Amino acid sequence: MTAVVLETDRLVVREFDDEHLDDFAALCADAEVMRYVGDGTTLARPEVARWIEVCKDRYRTRGYGTSAVFERDAGRFIGYCGVVRAIGNDFDELIYVFHRDAWGRGYATEVGAAMLAHVFARSQLDRIWATIDAENEPSLQVAAKLGFERDRVEIEDGVPVAYLVIDRPA
């Protein structure tokens, strides 16, 4: 069993490892789930396997990264959450993605708050960003609940993307 990153009342967050490949690949193969993730395309199993290797490297070098999220009671994999270096950007951002049957249960807010606290405690980061498709209202609401403030909206590949930021707590 992989190392526990953090726990909340309803969730257990673990470091990604090879044992999570099937669950992670299934999540990333769901077009509806991936609609607002990255460029909106699904990821093939080899891409997910590479992502897991990157996650393992990030745990070793930074002490945090993308992590697997499980329901505490059922032990079921429901998604992922983490703070990662955004591709093509010079900042770290909070990411979270869940299976459709886990949507609307407050999991993103619960694990997002815990992940932010975890990363701020283990890093020298002064700010963490979130980049969210401006049409993804549920995710924008999660970010607002977490305390993120809107910095700007930019058009990227024809899509409006909201840039939100949260500062290290005083």
Side-chain angles (χ1 to χ4, degrees):
M1 188 68 61
T2 56
V4 172
V5 173
L6 60 91
E7 297 183 53
T8 70
D9 290 341
R10 300 182 298 160
L11 305 170
V12 176
V13 180
R14 295 185 172 281
E15 291 183 3
F16 265 121
D17 205 343
D18 298 336
E19 69 188 72
H20 303 122
L21 178 57
D22 291 341
D23 289 331
F24 196 12
L27 177 71
C28 293
D30 184 326
E32 174 113 13
V33 166
M34 298 300 286
R35 176 179 174 197
Y36 294 119
V37 179
D39 65 3
T41 60
T42 59
L43 299 177
R45 187 179 179 85
E47 293 171 297
V48 177
R50 279 192 300 278
W51 191 354
I52 288 174
E53 292 306 312
V54 169
C55 293
K56 290 193 275 188
D57 180 64
R58 294 301 182 265
Y59 302 136
R60 281 190 301 274
T61 60
R62 299 178 88 193
Y64 59 90
T66 307
S67 302
V69 180
F70 298 85
E71 289 175 322
R72 176 185 293 284
D73 293 339
R76 181 177 72 102
F77 173 84
I78 58 168
Y80 64 84
C81 180
V83 172
V84 299
R85 177 58 50 115
I87 296 171
N89 292 317
D90 60 353
F91 57 81
D92 288 80
E93 72 174 305
L94 177 70
I95 60 172
Y96 45 83
V97 174
F98 294 93
H99 279 292
R100 285 182 273 162
D101 64 357
W103 292 356
R105 296 184 182 186
Y107 289 152
T109 304
E110 184 175 332
V111 77
M115 185 61 70
L116 288 169
H118 173 78
V119 172
F120 277 130
R122 284 159 181 72
S123 75
Q124 298 299 311
L125 296 175
D126 290 323
R127 309 181 108 183
I128 295 175
W129 291 81
T131 56
I132 301 172
D133 185 306
E135 295 178 5
N136 186 350
E137 191 58 38
S139 193
L140 291 170
Q141 290 174 5
V142 167
K145 289 177 189 174
L146 292 173
F148 280 87
E149 294 183 11
R150 189 176 294 228
D151 181 73
R152 66 188 182 276
V153 175
E154 293 184 6
I155 304 300
E156 297 178 7
D157 297 323
V159 176
V161 176
Y163 282 73
L164 304 104
V165 65
I166 189 167
D167 291 321
R168 174 183 289 280

mmCIF file of all heavy atoms in Angstrom, residues 64-108:
data_model
loop_
_atom_site.group_PDB
_atom_site.id
_atom_site.type_symbol
_atom_site.label_atom_id
_atom_site.label_comp_id
_atom_site.label_asym_id
_atom_site.label_seq_id
_atom_site.Cartn_x
_atom_site.Cartn_y
_atom_site.Cartn_z
ATOM 1 N N TYR A 64 5.605 16.653 -2.710
ATOM 2 C CA TYR A 64 4.179 16.705 -3.048
ATOM 3 C C TYR A 64 4.026 16.612 -4.558
ATOM 4 O O TYR A 64 4.993 16.768 -5.296
ATOM 5 C CB TYR A 64 3.511 17.979 -2.517
ATOM 6 C CG TYR A 64 4.118 19.258 -3.044
ATOM 7 C CD1 TYR A 64 3.644 19.855 -4.204
ATOM 8 C CD2 TYR A 64 5.167 19.879 -2.374
ATOM 9 C CE1 TYR A 64 4.202 21.023 -4.693
ATOM 10 C CE2 TYR A 64 5.734 21.059 -2.861
ATOM 11 C CZ TYR A 64 5.242 21.615 -4.014
ATOM 12 O OH TYR A 64 5.794 22.778 -4.504
ATOM 13 N N GLY A 65 2.802 16.352 -4.996
ATOM 14 C CA GLY A 65 2.495 16.233 -6.421
ATOM 15 C C GLY A 65 1.063 15.781 -6.590
ATOM 16 O O GLY A 65 0.240 15.949 -5.696
ATOM 17 N N THR A 66 0.757 15.173 -7.707
ATOM 18 C CA THR A 66 -0.583 14.646 -7.942
ATOM 19 C C THR A 66 -0.749 13.364 -7.133
ATOM 20 O O THR A 66 0.131 12.506 -7.142
ATOM 21 C CB THR A 66 -0.789 14.339 -9.442
ATOM 22 O OG1 THR A 66 -0.469 15.507 -10.199
ATOM 23 C CG2 THR A 66 -2.226 13.932 -9.710
ATOM 24 N N SER A 67 -1.874 13.248 -6.448
ATOM 25 C CA SER A 67 -2.110 12.116 -5.557
ATOM 26 C C SER A 67 -3.475 11.498 -5.808
ATOM 27 O O SER A 67 -4.414 12.169 -6.237
ATOM 28 C CB SER A 67 -2.031 12.580 -4.099
ATOM 29 O OG SER A 67 -0.770 13.167 -3.836
ATOM 30 N N ALA A 68 -3.571 10.202 -5.519
ATOM 31 C CA ALA A 68 -4.811 9.441 -5.685
ATOM 32 C C ALA A 68 -5.739 9.701 -4.504
ATOM 33 O O ALA A 68 -5.299 9.711 -3.351
ATOM 34 C CB ALA A 68 -4.498 7.948 -5.787
ATOM 35 N N VAL A 69 -7.018 9.905 -4.791
ATOM 36 C CA VAL A 69 -8.006 10.188 -3.750
ATOM 37 C C VAL A 69 -8.969 9.001 -3.646
ATOM 38 O O VAL A 69 -9.518 8.546 -4.654
ATOM 39 C CB VAL A 69 -8.793 11.480 -4.059
ATOM 40 C CG1 VAL A 69 -9.825 11.764 -2.974
ATOM 41 C CG2 VAL A 69 -7.843 12.666 -4.230
ATOM 42 N N PHE A 70 -9.183 8.548 -2.417
ATOM 43 C CA PHE A 70 -10.055 7.410 -2.133
ATOM 44 C C PHE A 70 -11.107 7.796 -1.106
ATOM 45 O O PHE A 70 -10.823 8.575 -0.183
ATOM 46 C CB PHE A 70 -9.243 6.239 -1.548
ATOM 47 C CG PHE A 70 -8.205 5.703 -2.479
ATOM 48 C CD1 PHE A 70 -6.954 6.294 -2.558
ATOM 49 C CD2 PHE A 70 -8.482 4.616 -3.292
ATOM 50 C CE1 PHE A 70 -5.990 5.813 -3.427
ATOM 51 C CE2 PHE A 70 -7.527 4.125 -4.159
ATOM 52 C CZ PHE A 70 -6.277 4.730 -4.230
ATOM 53 N N GLU A 71 -12.301 7.241 -1.250
ATOM 54 C CA GLU A 71 -13.304 7.380 -0.194
ATOM 55 C C GLU A 71 -12.811 6.592 1.009
ATOM 56 O O GLU A 71 -12.383 5.450 0.877
ATOM 57 C CB GLU A 71 -14.650 6.830 -0.647
ATOM 58 C CG GLU A 71 -15.328 7.683 -1.691
ATOM 59 C CD GLU A 71 -16.612 7.065 -2.210
ATOM 60 O OE1 GLU A 71 -16.662 5.836 -2.378
ATOM 61 O OE2 GLU A 71 -17.556 7.829 -2.441
ATOM 62 N N ARG A 72 -12.866 7.195 2.170
ATOM 63 C CA ARG A 72 -12.357 6.556 3.377
ATOM 64 C C ARG A 72 -13.121 5.271 3.694
ATOM 65 O O ARG A 72 -12.517 4.225 3.919
ATOM 66 C CB ARG A 72 -12.460 7.504 4.568
ATOM 67 C CG ARG A 72 -12.031 6.865 5.887
ATOM 68 C CD ARG A 72 -12.249 7.779 7.064
ATOM 69 N NE ARG A 72 -11.392 8.942 7.043
ATOM 70 C CZ ARG A 72 -10.096 8.939 7.346
ATOM 71 N NH1 ARG A 72 -9.505 7.821 7.681
ATOM 72 N NH2 ARG A 72 -9.394 10.042 7.321
ATOM 73 N N ASP A 73 -14.435 5.332 3.706
ATOM 74 C CA ASP A 73 -15.232 4.168 4.122
ATOM 75 C C ASP A 73 -15.191 3.028 3.118
ATOM 76 O O ASP A 73 -14.986 1.878 3.490
ATOM 77 C CB ASP A 73 -16.680 4.578 4.399
ATOM 78 C CG ASP A 73 -16.797 5.492 5.611
ATOM 79 O OD1 ASP A 73 -15.865 5.498 6.451
ATOM 80 O OD2 ASP A 73 -17.811 6.209 5.712
ATOM 81 N N ALA A 74 -15.383 3.341 1.847
ATOM 82 C CA ALA A 74 -15.446 2.301 0.816
ATOM 83 C C ALA A 74 -14.070 1.914 0.289
ATOM 84 O O ALA A 74 -13.913 0.847 -0.310
ATOM 85 C CB ALA A 74 -16.337 2.761 -0.340
ATOM 86 N N GLY A 75 -13.087 2.767 0.485
ATOM 87 C CA GLY A 75 -11.755 2.496 -0.048
ATOM 88 C C GLY A 75 -11.680 2.598 -1.558
ATOM 89 O O GLY A 75 -10.720 2.160 -2.176
ATOM 90 N N ARG A 76 -12.688 3.200 -2.174
ATOM 91 C CA ARG A 76 -12.796 3.282 -3.628
ATOM 92 C C ARG A 76 -12.053 4.488 -4.171
ATOM 93 O O ARG A 76 -12.169 5.600 -3.651
ATOM 94 C CB ARG A 76 -14.282 3.377 -3.987
ATOM 95 C CG ARG A 76 -14.590 3.457 -5.464
ATOM 96 C CD ARG A 76 -16.095 3.469 -5.703
ATOM 97 N NE ARG A 76 -16.700 4.731 -5.313
ATOM 98 C CZ ARG A 76 -17.052 5.697 -6.160
ATOM 99 N NH1 ARG A 76 -16.865 5.551 -7.447
ATOM 100 N NH2 ARG A 76 -17.598 6.807 -5.716
ATOM 101 N N PHE A 77 -11.260 4.284 -5.245
ATOM 102 C CA PHE A 77 -10.581 5.368 -5.945
ATOM 103 C C PHE A 77 -11.636 6.244 -6.606
ATOM 104 O O PHE A 77 -12.491 5.757 -7.348
ATOM 105 C CB PHE A 77 -9.646 4.793 -7.017
ATOM 106 C CG PHE A 77 -9.031 5.832 -7.908
ATOM 107 C CD1 PHE A 77 -7.890 6.511 -7.512
ATOM 108 C CD2 PHE A 77 -9.580 6.120 -9.152
ATOM 109 C CE1 PHE A 77 -7.308 7.472 -8.336
ATOM 110 C CE2 PHE A 77 -9.006 7.080 -9.982
ATOM 111 C CZ PHE A 77 -7.868 7.753 -9.572
ATOM 112 N N ILE A 78 -11.595 7.551 -6.318
ATOM 113 C CA ILE A 78 -12.594 8.452 -6.902
ATOM 114 C C ILE A 78 -11.979 9.559 -7.747
ATOM 115 O O ILE A 78 -12.710 10.283 -8.422
ATOM 116 C CB ILE A 78 -13.513 9.071 -5.828
ATOM 117 C CG1 ILE A 78 -12.702 9.844 -4.790
ATOM 118 C CG2 ILE A 78 -14.383 7.993 -5.188
ATOM 119 C CD1 ILE A 78 -13.549 10.709 -3.875
ATOM 120 N N GLY A 79 -10.650 9.718 -7.696
ATOM 121 C CA GLY A 79 -10.049 10.769 -8.506
ATOM 122 C C GLY A 79 -8.657 11.115 -8.055
ATOM 123 O O GLY A 79 -7.984 10.320 -7.403
ATOM 124 N N TYR A 80 -8.247 12.331 -8.406
ATOM 125 C CA TYR A 80 -6.921 12.787 -8.007
ATOM 126 C C TYR A 80 -6.947 14.262 -7.654
ATOM 127 O O TYR A 80 -7.847 15.006 -8.044
ATOM 128 C CB TYR A 80 -5.872 12.494 -9.082
ATOM 129 C CG TYR A 80 -6.046 13.206 -10.401
ATOM 130 C CD1 TYR A 80 -5.572 14.495 -10.594
ATOM 131 C CD2 TYR A 80 -6.657 12.570 -11.476
ATOM 132 C CE1 TYR A 80 -5.710 15.141 -11.813
ATOM 133 C CE2 TYR A 80 -6.795 13.194 -12.701
ATOM 134 C CZ TYR A 80 -6.312 14.479 -12.863
ATOM 135 O OH TYR A 80 -6.449 15.109 -14.074
ATOM 136 N N CYS A 81 -5.938 14.658 -6.894
ATOM 137 C CA CYS A 81 -5.776 16.049 -6.492
ATOM 138 C C CYS A 81 -4.296 16.274 -6.238
ATOM 139 O O CYS A 81 -3.580 15.348 -5.847
ATOM 140 C CB CYS A 81 -6.577 16.322 -5.213
ATOM 141 S SG CYS A 81 -6.465 18.036 -4.609
ATOM 142 N N GLY A 82 -3.837 17.474 -6.467
ATOM 143 C CA GLY A 82 -2.453 17.789 -6.169
ATOM 144 C C GLY A 82 -2.110 19.207 -6.530
ATOM 145 O O GLY A 82 -2.935 19.954 -7.054
ATOM 146 N N VAL A 83 -0.886 19.569 -6.220
ATOM 147 C CA VAL A 83 -0.330 20.849 -6.642
ATOM 148 C C VAL A 83 0.849 20.508 -7.535
ATOM 149 O O VAL A 83 1.755 19.778 -7.130
ATOM 150 C CB VAL A 83 0.089 21.721 -5.444
ATOM 151 C CG1 VAL A 83 0.838 22.960 -5.911
ATOM 152 C CG2 VAL A 83 -1.142 22.112 -4.622
ATOM 153 N N VAL A 84 0.795 21.008 -8.757
ATOM 154 C CA VAL A 84 1.774 20.657 -9.775
ATOM 155 C C VAL A 84 2.308 21.913 -10.451
ATOM 156 O O VAL A 84 1.670 22.960 -10.418
ATOM 157 C CB VAL A 84 1.163 19.723 -10.849
ATOM 158 C CG1 VAL A 84 0.677 18.425 -10.217
ATOM 159 C CG2 VAL A 84 0.027 20.402 -11.597
ATOM 160 N N ARG A 85 3.463 21.770 -11.082
ATOM 161 C CA ARG A 85 4.006 22.852 -11.904
ATOM 162 C C ARG A 85 3.259 22.799 -13.224
ATOM 163 O O ARG A 85 3.283 21.800 -13.928
ATOM 164 C CB ARG A 85 5.500 22.657 -12.113
ATOM 165 C CG ARG A 85 6.187 23.668 -13.001
ATOM 166 C CD ARG A 85 6.062 25.125 -12.569
ATOM 167 N NE ARG A 85 6.379 25.388 -11.208
ATOM 168 C CZ ARG A 85 7.394 26.126 -10.797
ATOM 169 N NH1 ARG A 85 8.212 26.662 -11.669
ATOM 170 N NH2 ARG A 85 7.575 26.340 -9.519
ATOM 171 N N ALA A 86 2.582 23.876 -13.564
ATOM 172 C CA ALA A 86 1.773 23.927 -14.767
ATOM 173 C C ALA A 86 2.656 23.879 -16.002
ATOM 174 O O ALA A 86 3.657 24.595 -16.077
ATOM 175 C CB ALA A 86 0.916 25.187 -14.775
ATOM 176 N N ILE A 87 2.301 23.046 -16.954
ATOM 177 C CA ILE A 87 3.061 22.923 -18.196
ATOM 178 C C ILE A 87 3.044 24.265 -18.920
ATOM 179 O O ILE A 87 1.995 24.867 -19.126
ATOM 180 C CB ILE A 87 2.463 21.814 -19.093
ATOM 181 C CG1 ILE A 87 2.603 20.466 -18.396
ATOM 182 C CG2 ILE A 87 3.144 21.801 -20.456
ATOM 183 C CD1 ILE A 87 1.862 19.347 -19.082
ATOM 184 N N GLY A 88 4.234 24.735 -19.268
ATOM 185 C CA GLY A 88 4.342 25.989 -20.007
ATOM 186 C C GLY A 88 4.216 27.230 -19.147
ATOM 187 O O GLY A 88 4.265 28.340 -19.650
ATOM 188 N N ASN A 89 4.033 27.060 -17.850
ATOM 189 C CA ASN A 89 3.925 28.211 -16.953
ATOM 190 C C ASN A 89 5.013 28.133 -15.887
ATOM 191 O O ASN A 89 5.645 27.101 -15.706
ATOM 192 C CB ASN A 89 2.545 28.241 -16.290
ATOM 193 C CG ASN A 89 1.445 28.544 -17.276
ATOM 194 O OD1 ASN A 89 1.572 29.416 -18.117
ATOM 195 N ND2 ASN A 89 0.364 27.799 -17.201
ATOM 196 N N ASP A 90 5.191 29.216 -15.184
ATOM 197 C CA ASP A 90 6.226 29.249 -14.152
ATOM 198 C C ASP A 90 5.613 29.311 -12.755
ATOM 199 O O ASP A 90 6.148 29.948 -11.858
ATOM 200 C CB ASP A 90 7.177 30.416 -14.376
ATOM 201 C CG ASP A 90 6.475 31.758 -14.338
ATOM 202 O OD1 ASP A 90 5.226 31.792 -14.270
ATOM 203 O OD2 ASP A 90 7.177 32.791 -14.354
ATOM 204 N N PHE A 91 4.478 28.662 -12.584
ATOM 205 C CA PHE A 91 3.816 28.656 -11.286
ATOM 206 C C PHE A 91 3.267 27.265 -10.974
ATOM 207 O O PHE A 91 3.124 26.433 -11.851
ATOM 208 C CB PHE A 91 2.697 29.696 -11.230
ATOM 209 C CG PHE A 91 1.650 29.538 -12.308
ATOM 210 C CD1 PHE A 91 0.621 28.607 -12.196
ATOM 211 C CD2 PHE A 91 1.678 30.351 -13.431
ATOM 212 C CE1 PHE A 91 -0.342 28.484 -13.177
ATOM 213 C CE2 PHE A 91 0.710 30.241 -14.419
ATOM 214 C CZ PHE A 91 -0.307 29.301 -14.290
ATOM 215 N N ASP A 92 2.983 27.058 -9.707
ATOM 216 C CA ASP A 92 2.375 25.805 -9.264
ATOM 217 C C ASP A 92 0.872 26.009 -9.161
ATOM 218 O O ASP A 92 0.408 27.081 -8.747
ATOM 219 C CB ASP A 92 2.933 25.413 -7.897
ATOM 220 C CG ASP A 92 4.371 24.943 -7.997
ATOM 221 O OD1 ASP A 92 5.282 25.787 -8.067
ATOM 222 O OD2 ASP A 92 4.564 23.724 -8.021
ATOM 223 N N GLU A 93 0.127 24.962 -9.533
ATOM 224 C CA GLU A 93 -1.325 25.096 -9.502
ATOM 225 C C GLU A 93 -1.989 23.887 -8.869
ATOM 226 O O GLU A 93 -1.486 22.771 -8.933
ATOM 227 C CB GLU A 93 -1.897 25.349 -10.892
ATOM 228 C CG GLU A 93 -1.878 24.178 -11.836
ATOM 229 C CD GLU A 93 -2.591 24.483 -13.147
ATOM 230 O OE1 GLU A 93 -3.771 24.885 -13.116
ATOM 231 O OE2 GLU A 93 -1.966 24.310 -14.196
ATOM 232 N N LEU A 94 -3.128 24.157 -8.240
ATOM 233 C CA LEU A 94 -3.962 23.116 -7.664
ATOM 234 C C LEU A 94 -4.779 22.477 -8.783
ATOM 235 O O LEU A 94 -5.375 23.194 -9.596
ATOM 236 C CB LEU A 94 -4.916 23.703 -6.617
ATOM 237 C CG LEU A 94 -5.898 22.709 -5.992
ATOM 238 C CD1 LEU A 94 -5.171 21.717 -5.088
ATOM 239 C CD2 LEU A 94 -6.980 23.453 -5.217
ATOM 240 N N ILE A 95 -4.772 21.146 -8.817
ATOM 241 C CA ILE A 95 -5.612 20.419 -9.774
ATOM 242 C C ILE A 95 -6.442 19.398 -9.010
ATOM 243 O O ILE A 95 -6.032 18.909 -7.950
ATOM 244 C CB ILE A 95 -4.772 19.723 -10.874
ATOM 245 C CG1 ILE A 95 -3.788 18.720 -10.272
ATOM 246 C CG2 ILE A 95 -4.051 20.761 -11.735
ATOM 247 C CD1 ILE A 95 -3.074 17.853 -11.301
ATOM 248 N N TYR A 96 -7.614 19.099 -9.535
ATOM 249 C CA TYR A 96 -8.468 18.068 -8.955
ATOM 250 C C TYR A 96 -9.417 17.570 -10.033
ATOM 251 O O TYR A 96 -9.941 18.345 -10.832
ATOM 252 C CB TYR A 96 -9.253 18.587 -7.737
ATOM 253 C CG TYR A 96 -9.881 19.952 -7.928
ATOM 254 C CD1 TYR A 96 -11.108 20.113 -8.567
ATOM 255 C CD2 TYR A 96 -9.223 21.084 -7.476
ATOM 256 C CE1 TYR A 96 -11.661 21.362 -8.744
ATOM 257 C CE2 TYR A 96 -9.764 22.350 -7.650
ATOM 258 C CZ TYR A 96 -10.989 22.474 -8.283
ATOM 259 O OH TYR A 96 -11.534 23.730 -8.473
ATOM 260 N N VAL A 97 -9.598 16.254 -10.081
ATOM 261 C CA VAL A 97 -10.483 15.622 -11.055
ATOM 262 C C VAL A 97 -11.089 14.398 -10.381
ATOM 263 O O VAL A 97 -10.385 13.632 -9.724
ATOM 264 C CB VAL A 97 -9.718 15.206 -12.339
ATOM 265 C CG1 VAL A 97 -10.608 14.416 -13.272
ATOM 266 C CG2 VAL A 97 -9.148 16.432 -13.037
ATOM 267 N N PHE A 98 -12.401 14.218 -10.571
ATOM 268 C CA PHE A 98 -13.098 13.108 -9.931
ATOM 269 C C PHE A 98 -14.002 12.371 -10.916
ATOM 270 O O PHE A 98 -14.482 12.966 -11.885
ATOM 271 C CB PHE A 98 -13.949 13.628 -8.766
ATOM 272 C CG PHE A 98 -13.115 14.179 -7.654
ATOM 273 C CD1 PHE A 98 -12.805 15.524 -7.596
ATOM 274 C CD2 PHE A 98 -12.609 13.341 -6.682
ATOM 275 C CE1 PHE A 98 -12.009 16.035 -6.599
ATOM 276 C CE2 PHE A 98 -11.800 13.843 -5.668
ATOM 277 C CZ PHE A 98 -11.505 15.188 -5.633
ATOM 278 N N HIS A 99 -14.239 11.094 -10.623
ATOM 279 C CA HIS A 99 -15.226 10.326 -11.384
ATOM 280 C C HIS A 99 -16.577 11.037 -11.298
ATOM 281 O O HIS A 99 -16.888 11.672 -10.283
ATOM 282 C CB HIS A 99 -15.378 8.911 -10.809
ATOM 283 C CG HIS A 99 -14.317 7.963 -11.269
ATOM 284 N ND1 HIS A 99 -14.214 7.530 -12.573
ATOM 285 C CD2 HIS A 99 -13.311 7.353 -10.584
ATOM 286 C CE1 HIS A 99 -13.196 6.697 -12.679
ATOM 287 N NE2 HIS A 99 -12.618 6.573 -11.491
ATOM 288 N N ARG A 100 -17.362 10.903 -12.348
ATOM 289 C CA ARG A 100 -18.665 11.574 -12.398
ATOM 290 C C ARG A 100 -19.558 11.239 -11.216
ATOM 291 O O ARG A 100 -20.273 12.104 -10.715
ATOM 292 C CB ARG A 100 -19.388 11.243 -13.702
ATOM 293 C CG ARG A 100 -18.816 11.985 -14.879
ATOM 294 C CD ARG A 100 -19.565 11.689 -16.139
ATOM 295 N NE ARG A 100 -18.983 10.500 -16.744
ATOM 296 C CZ ARG A 100 -19.580 9.769 -17.658
ATOM 297 N NH1 ARG A 100 -20.786 10.065 -18.061
ATOM 298 N NH2 ARG A 100 -18.967 8.740 -18.174
ATOM 299 N N ASP A 101 -19.528 9.984 -10.741
ATOM 300 C CA ASP A 101 -20.411 9.624 -9.620
ATOM 301 C C ASP A 101 -19.942 10.216 -8.293
ATOM 302 O O ASP A 101 -20.632 10.111 -7.284
ATOM 303 C CB ASP A 101 -20.605 8.111 -9.517
ATOM 304 C CG ASP A 101 -19.330 7.348 -9.193
ATOM 305 O OD1 ASP A 101 -18.247 7.961 -9.097
ATOM 306 O OD2 ASP A 101 -19.425 6.119 -9.048
ATOM 307 N N ALA A 102 -18.788 10.892 -8.296
ATOM 308 C CA ALA A 102 -18.305 11.585 -7.096
ATOM 309 C C ALA A 102 -18.552 13.093 -7.176
ATOM 310 O O ALA A 102 -18.278 13.813 -6.213
ATOM 311 C CB ALA A 102 -16.815 11.305 -6.894
ATOM 312 N N TRP A 103 -19.062 13.567 -8.295
ATOM 313 C CA TRP A 103 -19.334 14.996 -8.452
ATOM 314 C C TRP A 103 -20.472 15.423 -7.530
ATOM 315 O O TRP A 103 -21.402 14.658 -7.255
ATOM 316 C CB TRP A 103 -19.726 15.318 -9.896
ATOM 317 C CG TRP A 103 -18.624 15.155 -10.904
ATOM 318 C CD1 TRP A 103 -17.316 14.835 -10.670
ATOM 319 C CD2 TRP A 103 -18.739 15.293 -12.319
ATOM 320 N NE1 TRP A 103 -16.614 14.770 -11.847
ATOM 321 C CE2 TRP A 103 -17.462 15.045 -12.879
ATOM 322 C CE3 TRP A 103 -19.793 15.591 -13.167
ATOM 323 C CZ2 TRP A 103 -17.224 15.099 -14.244
ATOM 324 C CZ3 TRP A 103 -19.556 15.642 -14.534
ATOM 325 C CH2 TRP A 103 -18.289 15.407 -15.062
ATOM 326 N N GLY A 104 -20.422 16.666 -7.089
ATOM 327 C CA GLY A 104 -21.505 17.244 -6.309
ATOM 328 C C GLY A 104 -21.548 16.798 -4.855
ATOM 329 O O GLY A 104 -22.521 17.080 -4.152
ATOM 330 N N ARG A 105 -20.524 16.141 -4.366
ATOM 331 C CA ARG A 105 -20.508 15.647 -2.980
ATOM 332 C C ARG A 105 -19.585 16.454 -2.067
ATOM 333 O O ARG A 105 -19.401 16.102 -0.914
ATOM 334 C CB ARG A 105 -20.079 14.183 -2.959
ATOM 335 C CG ARG A 105 -21.059 13.273 -3.666
ATOM 336 C CD ARG A 105 -20.646 11.846 -3.524
ATOM 337 N NE ARG A 105 -21.562 10.979 -4.239
ATOM 338 C CZ ARG A 105 -21.498 9.672 -4.174
ATOM 339 N NH1 ARG A 105 -20.577 9.074 -3.437
ATOM 340 N NH2 ARG A 105 -22.346 8.945 -4.856
ATOM 341 N N GLY A 106 -18.986 17.498 -2.611
ATOM 342 C CA GLY A 106 -18.092 18.323 -1.817
ATOM 343 C C GLY A 106 -16.689 17.771 -1.675
ATOM 344 O O GLY A 106 -15.870 18.314 -0.921
ATOM 345 N N TYR A 107 -16.367 16.714 -2.417
ATOM 346 C CA TYR A 107 -15.044 16.112 -2.304
ATOM 347 C C TYR A 107 -13.933 17.054 -2.764
ATOM 348 O O TYR A 107 -12.865 17.118 -2.154
ATOM 349 C CB TYR A 107 -14.962 14.813 -3.108
ATOM 350 C CG TYR A 107 -15.728 13.648 -2.543
ATOM 351 C CD1 TYR A 107 -16.216 12.661 -3.378
ATOM 352 C CD2 TYR A 107 -15.958 13.504 -1.182
ATOM 353 C CE1 TYR A 107 -16.904 11.562 -2.881
ATOM 354 C CE2 TYR A 107 -16.645 12.422 -0.674
ATOM 355 C CZ TYR A 107 -17.116 11.445 -1.525
ATOM 356 O OH TYR A 107 -17.793 10.368 -1.023
ATOM 357 N N ALA A 108 -14.164 17.783 -3.853
ATOM 358 C CA ALA A 108 -13.124 18.676 -4.380
ATOM 359 C C ALA A 108 -12.788 19.771 -3.370
ATOM 360 O O ALA A 108 -11.608 20.080 -3.154
ATOM 361 C CB ALA A 108 -13.552 19.279 -5.713
#
